[in-house]
Amino acid sequence: MSQRVLTTRTLTTESGAPVADNQNSASAGIGGPLLIQDQHLLEKLARFNRERIPERVVHARGSGAYGHFEVTDDVTGFTHADFLSTVGKRTEVFLRFSTVADSLGGADAVRDPRGFALKFYTEEGNYDLVGNNTPVFFIKDPIKFPDFIHSQKRDPFSGRQEPDNVWDFWAHSPEATHQVTWLMGDRGIPASYRHMDGFGSHTYQWTNGKGESFFVKYHFKTDQGIRCLTADQAAELAGQDPTSHQTDLVQAIERGVYPSWTLHVQLMPVAEAANYRFNPFDVTKVWPHADYPLKRVGRLVLDRNPDNVFAEVEQAAFSPNNFVPGIGPSPDKMLQGRLFAYADAHRYRLGVNHTQLAVNAPKAVPGGADNYGRDGLMASHSRGRDAKNYEPNSYDGPVETGRPLAAPLAVSGHTGTHAAPQHTKDDDFLQAGELYRLMSEDERKRLIANIAGGLSQVSRGDVVEKNLAHFHAADTEYGRRVEEAVRALRED
């Protein structure tokens, strides 16, 4: 039997020089002050000081995994996207889950929407679908987003999330009532990332090979079934294991229990959007399934954990403007704002060359993206010697295709700061009321208790009254029960 020979690896500095002593710093004599000439000490401390990059302002606390998406149903009549072109075709993916409001050190089991950001490594480039575990959102215009997040994050003075800030913003944003009803309901705290649905939330555009266009909404239905936590269960779990969702995801994949989701879409012919009864591009609303039924597309499976959470989860960069041929944007105002904001956030956090990192690099082109971007912090592509950094050129550089990714969007009217166009049934409260009426009596009781628990802590009576008016407008019973529950808690 042959013995395995163990080789000794040499510890080196960043420049590759061997390290003589990794236990003792260089000093001026025994017990004397340390020397600035100790390259290894200074380099080691300086590197340690820089181990962390700026955390995401939102979606800071995240988990992720690799897997694949497999097409199960023919959708070529709606899109010519290559990765959706053939039943049975598989595409590698990376999925990042996250909480939204808390910091990187926050607990997983909290009442908060969950991010559901999916990167498809397609043969035509990376396609990023950046959504949540709810089909709607709190606001409909990106100009309100910084204010919304400031109201939900830790207060600059107290250093904690303040009910006064949270509910004051919602009091001035009636369109948030639908999402607040989702958040405060039973699905507000998923039991794990595996046991929740994912949604594209926004409206997107699909274009088929004939140039016909459809507006589309994505629904990833968990194959594990929906499981959620009550407020008491979540508080206990967050104290016992703050990383409970991360732990569950890693352990499930390691033991071969691969989480999966079935993708369905809703499809609206472009011509129907203008006269639909409410604005179909309003992310605070859902499209009723009776109007646009779910159509199955394929199955998403996660089967491999990242080797390094920092390199592959923290540095994973998703941007809604990463489209591929056959898929494009819609006039959804929140989506339009995210087309800029996400990519810009990554340029700040990770640098202008963040797409050269392994988790973000497109697999469609050998050696990474082929364009005329040059240099910048942490550039890893040399493209030196005879490679030109301009276009057009006479030296066989990459050229444009002349083929747009999706169909153009029709525009008209004058520039200006316009409110969203009004459709016949546009309303901020109707769908919140419909969601409430879909709930069982036990679900309603928990919803009322969750809302009252937060709203009763608000110090200003006028803010409480403004929020109560929203629930009354959604449903008479809903408003009455919230008002009674808040009054009872405030009188205690």
Side-chain angles (χ1 to χ4, degrees):
M1 182 186 242
S2 62
Q3 273 191 319
R4 199 173 83 167
V5 178
L6 297 177
T7 58
T8 302
R9 296 169 56 192
T10 299
L11 179 66
T12 73
T13 64
E14 296 288 342
S15 63
V19 174
D21 191 339
N22 193 41
Q23 310 303 315
N24 303 287
S25 302
S27 61
I30 298 175
L34 302 185
L35 303 177
I36 199 170
Q37 72 181 38
D38 188 344
Q39 180 210 7
H40 182 49
L41 170 65
L42 269 61
E43 184 177 82
K44 195 173 180 182
L45 292 179
R47 172 94 185 193
F48 179 76
N49 288 345
R50 292 162 175 80
E51 278 188 359
R52 297 295 177 264
I53 60 176
E55 71 172 44
R56 290 168 167 86
V57 178
V58 288
H59 297 279
R61 170 76 192 145
S63 303
Y66 294 94
H68 66 266
F69 177 79
E70 181 174 352
V71 179
T72 58
D73 295 76
D74 182 13
V75 291
T76 54
F78 306 101
T79 176
H80 64 87
D82 181 72
F83 78 102
L84 299 174
S85 63
T86 308
V87 172
K89 184 163 188 172
R90 286 190 175 189
T91 300
E92 184 182 354
V93 300
F94 182 80
L95 175 56
R96 185 179 187 270
F97 305 98
S98 57
T99 54
V100 176
D102 212 343
S103 63
L104 188 59
D108 287 343
V110 293
R111 187 172 300 280
D112 199 14
R114 299 299 190 275
F116 195 95
L118 188 59
K119 187 181 295 292
F120 296 84
Y121 300 100
T122 87
E123 296 172 15
E124 297 179 300
N126 289 353
Y127 172 43
D128 290 351
L129 182 58
V130 188
N132 286 318
N133 71 327
T134 58
V136 293
F137 195 60
F138 296 92
I139 55 176
K140 60 182 75 173
D141 194 304
I143 204 166
K144 299 179 69 170
F145 188 75
D147 299 295
F148 165 63
I149 294 300
H150 287 168
S151 74
Q152 309 297 302
K153 299 282 281 187
R154 296 179 181 182
D155 182 84
F157 171 71
S158 68
R160 73 184 189 105
Q161 189 182 58
E162 291 289 352
D164 276 0
N165 301 349
V166 171
W167 289 95
D168 186 37
F169 183 89
W170 288 343
H172 290 88
S173 303
E175 74 260 35
T177 308
H178 192 187
Q179 174 72 318
V180 170
T181 305
W182 271 90
L183 178 63
M184 296 298 173
D186 281 0
R187 296 195 183 188
I189 315 178
S192 80
Y193 289 131
R194 296 183 297 127
H195 294 92
M196 68 180 196
D197 292 340
F199 300 89
S201 300
H202 296 291
T203 301
Y204 295 90
Q205 182 205 78
W206 276 7
T207 305
N208 66 19
K210 299 177 182 178
E212 299 167 330
S213 295
F214 303 83
F215 291 122
V216 60
K217 281 185 176 289
Y218 295 88
H219 301 248
F220 290 86
K221 298 294 187 180
T222 175
D223 295 330
Q224 290 71 236
I226 296 289
R227 283 182 51 203
C228 303
L229 302 173
T230 65
D232 290 341
Q233 291 172 328
E236 181 178 358
L237 181 58
Q240 292 175 343
D241 181 8
T243 61
S244 57
H245 288 26
Q246 165 77 5
T247 301
D248 176 85
L249 181 65
V250 170
Q251 290 182 352
I253 293 175
E254 288 299 296
R255 67 177 185 267
V257 180
Y258 301 137
S260 65
W261 290 259
T262 299
L263 171 61
H264 299 80
V265 294
Q266 291 177 284
L267 294 158
M268 174 189 291
V270 165
E272 297 181 11
N275 296 315
Y276 192 53
R277 64 181 183 275
F278 60 82
N279 181 1
F281 311 117
D282 180 350
V283 74
T284 68
K285 295 179 173 65
V286 298
W287 297 354
H289 292 182
D291 293 350
Y292 298 100
L294 295 180
K295 177 176 178 56
R296 193 177 66 176
V297 179
R299 188 165 180 259
L300 169 69
V301 179
L302 300 181
D303 55 16
R304 179 166 68 89
N305 284 311
D307 293 326
N308 184 295
V309 171
F310 174 78
E312 298 164 89
V313 179
E314 268 305 289
Q315 295 194 126
F318 302 84
S319 179
N321 63 2
N322 288 340
F323 293 113
V324 293
I327 303 178
S330 79
D332 180 335
K333 279 191 170 185
M334 279 298 295
L335 172 60
Q336 291 284 320
R338 295 175 82 204
L339 298 181
F340 162 76
Y342 272 61
D344 191 57
H346 303 317
R347 295 183 192 105
Y348 160 68
R349 292 184 63 246
L350 303 169
V352 72
N353 289 305
H354 64 273
T355 56
Q356 296 177 18
L357 297 169
V359 69
N360 301 320
K363 302 181 186 299
V365 184
D370 196 5
N371 55 43
Y372 296 94
R374 290 293 186 274
D375 306 334
L377 185 67
M378 300 297 291
S380 62
H381 294 168
S382 60
R383 293 194 177 97
R385 287 188 175 265
D386 295 331
K388 303 304 178 185
N389 64 343
Y390 58 88
E391 196 276 336
N393 63 60
S394 305
Y395 296 87
D396 297 323
V399 297
E400 64 192 24
T401 66
R403 299 189 300 272
L405 300 185
L409 298 173
V411 296
S412 64
H414 302 280
T415 60
T417 54
H418 304 293
Q422 288 294 301
H423 292 233
T424 56
K425 298 292 184 181
D426 269 327
D427 181 283
D428 288 328
F429 308 110
L430 175 66
Q431 292 196 352
E434 289 177 336
L435 179 58
Y436 174 79
R437 290 187 288 275
L438 283 174
M439 295 179 180
S440 68
E441 177 56 25
D442 285 344
E443 289 174 320
R444 293 182 188 184
K445 287 179 180 178
R446 290 188 290 269
L447 170 68
I448 302 302
N450 291 332
I451 293 174
L455 190 54
S456 63
Q457 298 178 54
V458 174
S459 61
R460 290 183 49 154
D462 61 327
V463 173
V464 174
E465 291 302 319
K466 286 177 182 176
N467 278 285
L468 290 176
H470 297 167
F471 300 119
H472 279 291
D475 182 273
T476 302
E477 178 193 292
Y478 188 8
R480 176 183 58 77
R481 293 177 67 171
V482 172
E483 183 172 359
E484 291 172 351
V486 169
R487 185 186 304 118
L489 288 172
R490 288 172 75 84
E491 290 174 351
D492 283 349

